[in-house]
Amino acid sequence: MLPMIFISTNIPDVGIDMLLGKANFEVWRDVPPPKRKYFLQKVSNADGVIAIPGAATKMDKEAIDAGKKLRIISSYSVGYDHIDVEYATSKGIMVTNTPGVLTDATADIAFGLLLMAARRMSEGERLMRSGKWRYWGPRMLLGQQVSGSSLGIIGLGRIGTALAKRAKGFDMELYYTGNSRKEDLEMELGIRYLPFKELLATCDFISVHCPLSPETEGLIGEEELKMMKPSAILINTSRGKVVDQKALARALQEDWIAGAGLDVFETEPIAKDDPLLKLPNVAMTPHLGSASVQTREAMASMAVENLLAGLEGKRPPNLVNPSVWKG
Ligand code: DGY
């Protein structure tokens, strides 16, 4: 009998086609995502789930308990903070993700937001669209020079490294912080290690690239924002909760820092009355990090490859919890 799969989002056809003849499946094709109750009901009949971040589709204890037959949770994302990996592991359920294929797309968005915030491009666009652009003036919408300024990367993993490569092309001075030194990358990119607080106090731009975990939740809060230079710009394309969003809004209102470029938010979609939406010095995109045609297709292939491998008794290539693998 073919396994039953629930796909909680409308992944590109390339992934769906890979399932034909290999599994019975249902795809949630609508936007917004399914209601929680419906999702849990689908999980309860599934041998495998393709999961995405989001309140209704998170694979927490409740969803894992609902999945009585569940053997594998394949995340259509590199981040897997929406999955209770420890609990899945205790139940012998495999968890997989999609690393690597979204590195360049996400680094592009991070560098794009850096440029947008530094050069006040979204403010300029809003000015034009409002019909209020009346003159060219030598003091109009002056931003920060990107070339020659310093960039501090929190977490020199795949995406942080790809961002450093882009910044090198702009002659930026590169610094990073993290749990370990990356001496090979220091040599290759001319990037220098700084302790966390020193990096915050030193750099013109700070970009966050660590995964969300109990250790990194609220990593950038009031104290850290106050350590940054008043001219500094914070970029976040990792997860919203790594930054204390209320503290960030205050930092931007009260000029502790000059600006921010954000692709991720504590709650997604962002609340309509969130103060960030009213602040001119924030450039923002709605979680578009991996949103290129090529990347989303590669993620679909990878998520389905992981899923099918697990269901066919093979070790999935991107197994997040290898201790469940009995091989
Ligand atoms: C990821 O893959 O983690 C992206 O942020 C999409 O959630």
Side-chain angles (χ1 to χ4, degrees):
M1 218 171 75
L2 295 178
M4 184 65 208
I5 310 299
F6 183 62
I7 306 176
S8 55
T9 190
N10 197 9
I11 64 169
D13 287 343
V14 63
I16 307 229
D17 291 350
M18 287 166 68
L19 287 168
L20 297 174
K22 299 205 168 147
N24 294 318
F25 56 89
E26 184 179 325
V27 188
W28 179 264
R29 293 193 185 271
D30 285 352
V31 179
K35 294 266 182 276
R36 182 71 174 165
K37 196 167 160 204
Y38 182 87
F39 176 70
L40 292 177
Q41 186 201 324
K42 291 295 159 189
V43 171
S44 73
N45 292 323
D47 299 284
V49 169
I50 294 193
I52 48 162
T57 52
K58 63 182 176 212
M59 291 300 295
D60 56 4
K61 283 198 178 69
E62 181 186 40
I64 291 169
D65 281 339
K68 299 274 179 261
K69 305 183 333 183
L70 203 55
R71 287 187 274 150
I72 181 161
I73 303 166
S74 167
S75 191
Y76 183 67
S77 63
V78 64
Y80 46 83
D81 46 282
H82 54 291
I83 302 172
D84 189 334
V85 177
E86 203 179 316
Y87 194 58
T89 306
S90 76
K91 299 261 174 186
I93 297 169
M94 292 171 271
V95 177
T96 63
N97 70 340
T98 61
V101 291
L102 42 73
T103 300
D104 284 321
T106 308
D108 288 347
I109 286 283
F111 203 74
L113 284 167
L114 185 154
L115 287 171
M116 278 169 74
R119 299 300 307 280
R120 305 178 63 182
M121 289 157 78
S122 24
E123 283 177 80
E125 196 192 13
R126 283 195 298 273
L127 179 75
M128 288 191 71
R129 288 183 188 277
S130 73
K132 290 185 185 152
W133 180 35
R134 305 220 197 287
Y135 65 95
W136 180 92
R139 298 184 185 209
M140 188 179 89
L141 285 179
L142 300 187
Q144 304 289 327
Q145 183 86 0
V146 171
S147 309
S149 61
S150 54
L151 170 64
I153 296 177
I154 301 177
L156 195 62
R158 278 182 286 258
I159 299 171
T161 303
L163 178 69
K165 287 183 179 159
R166 283 153 179 75
K168 199 171 155 63
F170 278 68
D171 295 327
M172 294 182 86
E173 249 177 74
L174 301 175
Y175 298 93
Y176 75 103
T177 197
N179 293 334
S180 58
R181 289 285 291 264
K182 308 270 173 94
E183 275 155 23
D184 48 340
L185 289 172
E186 289 179 21
M187 294 277 284
E188 185 190 330
L189 299 172
I191 191 167
R192 280 169 280 179
Y193 175 86
L194 282 180
F196 178 56
K197 291 185 175 171
E198 212 175 308
L199 178 116
L200 293 177
T202 304
C203 295
D204 299 312
F205 297 89
I206 305 282
S207 192
V208 180
H209 295 282
C210 51
L212 175 64
S213 69
E215 293 72 46
T216 62
E217 185 162 350
L219 182 73
I220 308 282
E222 177 171 338
E223 193 187 329
E224 292 72 23
L225 289 159
K226 284 187 169 159
M227 282 174 195
M228 291 168 63
K229 300 195 220 179
S231 58
I233 290 177
L234 178 73
I235 310 298
N236 188 10
T237 53
S238 71
R239 284 292 182 265
K241 287 184 179 163
V242 178
V243 177
D244 175 342
Q245 205 163 290
K246 278 205 180 72
L248 176 61
R250 274 193 64 206
L252 293 162
Q253 278 154 351
E254 298 173 13
D255 299 328
W256 310 348
I257 65 172
L262 307 173
D263 187 49
V264 288
F265 304 88
E266 277 182 359
T267 308
E268 294 180 8
I270 193 168
K272 287 197 178 72
D273 60 352
D274 194 292
L276 288 178
L277 295 172
K278 295 221 161 66
L279 295 174
N281 47 350
V282 188
M284 46 178 119
T285 44
H287 204 143
L288 295 183
S290 59
S292 74
V293 173
Q294 296 80 354
T295 293
R296 289 282 164 85
E297 287 188 344
M299 288 166 70
S301 307
M302 195 178 237
V304 174
E305 195 184 332
N306 285 328
L307 181 90
L308 287 176
L311 292 173
E312 286 165 2
K314 299 177 201 144
R315 184 184 162 120
N318 306 105
L319 191 58
V320 163
N321 54 348
S323 64
V324 295
W325 181 248
K326 306 266 173 349

